[in-house]
Amino acid sequence: MKKALYPGSFDPITNGHVDILERAAKLFDVVEVAILKNPSKDPLFTVEERIEMIKEIFKGKRNIIVSSFSGLLVDYAKKSGSNVIIRGLRAISDFEYEFQMALMNFKLSPEIEIIFMMPRVEYSFLSSKLVKEIYSLGGRLPDLVPPPVDRALVNKFHDF
Ligand code: PNS
């Protein structure tokens, strides 16, 4: 079975992530979305909330699953039976960080391949950080986030 891991913060998941996941799910038997439990970050959504949103978005898709992890990504990839890690690459600004991380992961675990996928052009400027900022200031982006995420963001920020 060809299994790939798609790790990240997903706080929250956007249509850019969904695009990559749907395309990756055509290339692999199973794609596991792995949410990092990061005690040093102050996320908007809890890991449990993020898991629930992703489950709802992909409820009809049996080869997209979701989990959370802590510790080293390469250790979790091995534990979950994935020898491929997928990362999205939007723009040149992503490149340096992704390049360093990929080479460091390769140093730690040369048997794990890291594959980069570009989002479709309409999502190439999209980030979870900007999405949060826009909703927090009263805006909405229903074309750029899945409906469960739009609802959750409206509940967080627009329900006074
Ligand atoms: O969505 P993000 O925040 O860009 O995802 C970053 C993530 C989760 C992929 C990265 O922070 C990570 O892999 N963290 C796990 C700890 C680890 O393995 N660190 C060494 C990376 S070289």
Side-chain angles (χ1 to χ4, degrees):
M1 184 181 74
K2 280 193 293 171
K3 184 175 179 190
L5 204 65
Y6 183 43
S9 305
F10 304 104
D11 184 39
I13 191 166
T14 68
N15 283 352
H17 298 119
V18 169
D19 168 49
I20 285 176
L21 262 167
E22 285 177 340
R23 286 161 46 215
K26 292 181 189 152
L27 303 174
F28 295 92
D29 297 315
V30 176
V31 181
E32 179 177 337
V33 185
I35 301 175
L36 177 68
K37 290 185 209 157
N38 190 347
S40 64
K41 268 196 182 173
D42 186 21
L44 178 63
F45 294 105
T46 65
V47 168
E48 293 69 29
E49 286 172 323
R50 283 175 268 166
I51 288 178
E52 277 319 304
M53 282 187 257
I54 295 170
K55 278 189 177 162
E56 192 180 340
I57 295 160
F58 295 108
K59 59 176 178 261
K61 295 241 176 201
R62 292 181 53 199
N63 71 334
I64 297 178
I65 59 176
V66 54
S67 66
S68 61
F69 76 104
S70 48
L72 280 179
L73 174 59
V74 288
D75 288 345
Y76 184 68
K78 280 182 230 165
K79 202 171 123 194
S80 84
S82 316
N83 57 0
V84 173
I85 290 171
I86 294 171
R87 291 285 291 168
L89 200 56
R90 285 164 303 192
I92 296 169
S93 50
D94 282 343
F95 181 78
E96 196 168 344
Y97 170 62
E98 293 298 335
F99 182 69
Q100 280 185 331
M101 210 160 54
L103 291 186
M104 198 55 95
N105 282 329
F106 192 58
K107 172 88 184 151
L108 291 169
S109 266
E111 68 277 19
I112 295 178
E113 285 297 341
I114 296 144
I115 291 182
F116 291 97
M117 292 180 69
M118 317 293 169
R120 282 191 287 171
V121 68
E122 58 266 40
Y123 303 132
S124 58
F125 57 93
L126 179 57
S127 74
S128 300
K129 186 168 170 254
L130 276 184
V131 165
K132 284 183 279 195
E133 183 174 324
I134 287 162
Y135 276 83
S136 76
L137 297 171
R140 271 181 85 174
L141 297 166
D143 295 346
L144 297 181
V145 296
V149 174
D150 175 63
R151 279 196 300 276
L153 285 164
V154 167
N155 282 340
K156 278 262 185 227
F157 290 119
H158 299 195
D159 248 358
F160 304 111

